[in-house]
Each structure stands twice: as C-alpha cells, then as structure tokens.
Amino acid sequence: MVALVLFLSLFAFLIFNVPVGIAIGLSSLAAIVTGGTMSNTFLVQQMIAGSDSFTLMAIPLFILAGELMAAGGVSRRILNVSNAFLGRITGGLAIVTVVVCMFFAAVSGSGPATVAAVGSMVVPSMLEKGYSKSFTLALIATAGSIGVIIPPSIPMVIYGSCTSTSISGLFMGGFVPGLLIGGILITLCYFYCKKQGWTGTDEHFSAKQKWRAVCDAKWALLNPFIILGGIYGGVFTPTEAAGVAAVYAFVCGVFIHRELDPKKLFFTIGNACNTTGTTMVIIGCATAFTKLLAIERIPNLVTNIILSVSTSKIVVLLLILALLLIVGCFMDTTPAMMVLAPILLPVALNFGLSAIHFGLIMVVGLAIGFITPPLGINLFVACRIGDAPLEIVCSGIIKFVIAMIFGLLLITFIPALSEFLPRVVLGI
C-alpha cells in the first residue's frame, strides 16, 4: 500500500505540473502518512541527511565553475580555436558546435549549461551562414547533452553517491562513451550538411592565425587537464576538483581574461545559486523517496518482476533502456537517477554488469531525455536562445534522437567502451 501511494501520488503531482522536486517530496510525505509507521519528521530528516554529503558538494561547485567559464569568455575562446581548425570542413560550423560542446562538457558537467553557454555564440553564426533554424537548434540541444557524459558529470556524482560507486571510476569510464557520442554527432552533421549543401566557412586561417587562437585560449584549453589530471593523479578528490575548477574559472575570468566585472560576477553567481537551490531540493526530497523504496523492498520487487518477464540478458537490458528513455521524457536527470539507480542496479548486477558500466548506461540513457518532449530541458533552452517555438526544434530533433539511441546501444552491449579505461588506469 505504501509503495502504491508513493508512485500514484508522484504520477498525479507530475500530471498537475507540480515542480519535480516538490512532487517527489509530497509523494514521500503522502506515503509516510499512509503507512503510519514512521514519524512525520522522517521526510525532513532524510532531506537533511541527503544534502549533508561531502561528495554532493561537487554539484554546486561544478555548477558555479560552468557559469563562471561561460561568463568569463572561456567558451568563446574554445570556439575560436575549433573554428580555426575545423571551420572549412563541410558543415564546419555544425562540427565546431559539437566539438566545443564536448570541450565545455569537460568543465561544466551540466547539459543545459552547455547549451546555454555554447548556443548563445554559435546559433546566430549558423543562422547567418544559411543553416536552417530547426537543424541549428536541434543540434545545439543534442550536443549540449554531451555535457553530462564527458566528465566531470553531475549525474555521475549523483549515481556514485546513491550507489556507493567510485566517482573517479565513473569519470574515467565516461571518456570513451562521450567521445563516441560526439563522433556519431559529427558524422551525422557532415553527411547531413553535405546533402543540404551547407559548406564550411570561406575564411582561410593561416598557421600563424591558428597558433594565435591557441595561445589566446591556452588557459581555457588547460583547464580540463588540470581538473581531470588532478583527480586521476591523486592530487585531489572529485569534490575538491570541483572547488579547484570554480577557483580556476574565477581567476581566468577576473584576472586573466578580465571579462568578469563585479556586476557580471554578481549576476553569474546568482544564476549558479538559483540552479544549485533547485538541484539540492530535488536531491533532498529524492533521498527520502529512495529511502522509502528501500524500506518497502521495491528494488527486490522490480528485480523479480523483470526476471519473471525474461531471463535473457539482452531482453532485460532492452527493457531497462526503454524504461530510461520513457522516464527521461517526463523527469529530469537528477531525480530520475536518484529514484531509478537503487532500483535498477541490483538487476544489472544480477546479469553480470559492473556498477560503472551500468552507471554509464543510465547517464547516457537519461541524457537522451534532455532532447525528448515533453520535458526536454535542452529543447527549451535552445528555444529561448533561438527565439523559436518548440515545434521548430522538435521538427529537427528526430535524426539526433536516433543517433543518440544508436550510441546508447553500442555503450550498452559493448562493455569495454565503459570499462577499459577504469580497468587499465585505475585498476577497477
């Protein structure tokens, strides 16, 4: 009965468009009241316990680092370097967009932040060069989803926190899947742009100009190596790395590039606080939700139900992928990860998958939710940037969704893509 109330009330609140974090909290409260075996203070206690975590401190710090990088001119310099080397290729601006999103993903750890930071620069240029608005906005929405696949990644931090999986191992495992997804999108852009007749830029960059662009962006290009190198070199933990990233972004924006004045800095920190506040409410409420799931033994029940459907590993994995894609349409990545990871991980382990491999499957599967209606956060960010209705973006998104699903299938059924680097480098 408690489990039934928990899920039915959550579904009802979401239908009535209650914010996801509040909906999870209210459904947990409804289940607590219905069960009658727990104190009404259980929800508050779990919210505090869920937020009081050294590991989760990485989330607000990575969010702040991403905002500071975008406002401090880092993403623009990365764009200039990519355009200098790749701009003349067929579909050059589209390919440059994907590459810049991949590089910015190694800083922000957030999909919507990547769309906002990169899209505000590339969308006007792509439209001016003759790219269709539907293709342009769909591309930046999709490429932005790489922000949570290439480390550092906020969903990976959440998955590691709620399943006790090595976050460093998840970060290391995310490199190849992230590069794979980026390569698939670049290939799609090349052939689609060739079909549409969208050529690269006519501007020729000499070796001297390319070198000048690299020198101008040296601090931006160095950032991922400092952060990720420090993690894998044992200099600092992923949480401490988030603090280093934020400080480094502040120093670059204020003292090196000098593009962050006090007014802009205040506005940037305000944006980061707004995003962090929303995220932490979701995490706190989701902690109570997942605790109730554990008390009611829902993970064991789901495992038994799935095993009763089929004992075939392929069939079970396809069912899990379908569930991730459906949930991603209606729920943000953070609460979906906290609710589903404790439920589905035992099923995956039962079929011989490693926790790291399954974590990457969940991250990529839920990342596709960034570009699928009705939630599709990246779609709405792209609409705002391009000043276009949702229908325009959705008309160009289908081919990108298919490409992302193809990448998800490769990551799911080729475990080495996720496990090779953690095994070789970290011995996990």
Side-chain angles (χ1 to χ4, degrees):
M1 176 60 71
V2 173
L4 188 63
V5 171
L6 190 65
F7 285 105
L8 287 180
S9 59
L10 175 61
F11 185 70
F13 286 128
L14 292 177
I15 285 181
F16 285 105
N17 205 28
V18 176
V20 176
I22 304 300
I24 292 174
L26 290 176
S27 61
S28 300
L29 183 60
I32 292 169
V33 173
T34 302
T37 58
M38 286 171 283
S39 168
N40 291 336
T41 61
F42 176 84
L43 176 61
V44 177
Q45 291 170 346
Q46 293 303 314
M47 288 181 66
I48 295 173
S51 303
D52 185 17
S53 168
F54 177 75
T55 301
L56 292 180
M57 283 180 62
I59 295 175
L61 291 172
F62 275 131
I63 291 173
L64 177 60
E67 291 283 353
L68 291 172
M69 286 287 180
V74 171
S75 49
R76 176 170 53 79
R77 286 169 170 81
I78 296 172
L79 175 64
N80 292 339
V81 173
S82 302
N83 192 47
F85 284 90
L86 302 172
R88 291 177 61 84
I89 303 173
T90 299
L93 265 179
I95 293 173
V96 165
T97 298
V98 177
V99 172
V100 174
C101 284
M102 292 171 66
F103 203 96
F104 194 80
V107 176
S108 70
S110 167
T114 303
V115 176
V118 180
S120 59
M121 296 179 298
V122 301
V123 168
S125 299
M126 290 185 69
L127 296 178
E128 184 180 335
K129 292 292 183 180
Y131 291 82
S132 69
K133 179 168 281 192
S134 62
F135 173 82
T136 300
L137 298 182
L139 170 64
I140 187 61
T142 307
S145 65
I146 302 176
V148 300
I149 303 173
I150 294 179
S153 163
I154 291 174
M156 289 183 195
V157 173
I158 294 172
Y159 175 87
S161 176
C162 63
T163 62
S164 300
T165 303
S166 167
I167 295 176
S168 296
L170 289 166
F171 280 7
M172 183 63 75
F175 277 108
V176 175
L179 294 175
L180 173 67
I181 296 294
I184 291 173
L185 294 181
I186 287 173
T187 303
L188 172 61
C189 287
Y190 177 81
F191 286 105
Y192 185 80
C193 291
K194 188 173 184 179
K195 179 182 177 182
Q196 298 296 322
W198 296 330
T199 59
T201 179
D202 296 329
E203 186 178 0
H204 175 73
F205 290 90
S206 64
K208 185 176 181 180
Q209 288 174 313
K210 291 178 180 178
W211 176 248
R212 188 180 297 120
V214 171
C215 290
D216 184 47
K218 61 181 179 295
W219 297 107
L221 298 173
L222 189 61
N223 184 29
F225 296 99
I226 293 175
I227 304 307
L228 298 175
I231 294 174
Y232 302 127
V235 180
F236 35 71
T237 66
T239 303
E240 292 165 345
V244 173
V247 172
Y248 185 86
F250 174 81
V251 171
C252 285
V254 175
F255 299 107
I256 298 177
H257 300 149
R258 298 182 180 180
E259 294 187 18
L260 274 176
D261 55 43
K263 182 178 179 180
K264 196 173 184 180
L265 180 61
F266 181 80
F267 180 77
T268 301
I269 294 175
N271 283 342
C273 290
N274 185 40
T275 305
T276 298
T278 303
T279 302
M280 296 311 292
V281 167
I282 292 173
I283 290 174
C285 292
T287 299
F289 191 94
T290 53
K291 186 70 173 180
L292 287 170
L293 292 178
I295 293 173
E296 295 299 316
R297 301 178 62 84
I298 300 301
N300 294 339
L301 178 62
V302 172
T303 300
N304 293 333
I305 291 174
I306 292 178
L307 292 178
S308 68
V309 173
S310 175
T311 56
S312 169
K313 179 178 178 179
I314 293 176
V315 173
V316 169
L317 286 177
L318 289 176
L319 288 173
I320 290 175
L321 295 185
L323 175 63
L324 292 175
L325 293 175
I326 292 171
V327 169
C329 293
F330 300 97
M331 189 177 288
D332 189 22
T333 306
T334 298
M337 184 67 76
M338 293 201 70
V339 171
L340 293 179
I343 296 176
L344 297 178
L345 181 58
V347 180
L349 296 177
N350 188 70
F351 281 93
L353 276 70
S354 69
I356 289 178
H357 179 206
F358 187 68
L360 268 298
I361 292 174
M362 287 203 67
V363 169
V364 177
L366 292 174
I368 297 176
F370 282 129
I371 57 172
T372 51
L375 184 61
I377 296 176
N378 284 13
L379 297 179
F380 291 102
V381 176
C383 288
R384 189 174 71 246
I385 293 171
D387 191 24
L390 184 61
E391 293 78 11
I392 294 292
V393 188
C394 290
S395 65
I397 203 66
I398 297 176
K399 53 185 168 291
F400 290 108
V401 172
I402 294 173
M404 291 285 287
I405 292 175
F406 174 68
L408 174 61
L409 290 172
L410 291 178
I411 292 165
T412 301
F413 293 104
I414 307 178
L417 294 175
S418 304
E419 297 176 346
F420 175 74
L421 285 179
R423 186 183 300 120
V424 171
V425 179
L426 302 178
I428 297 178

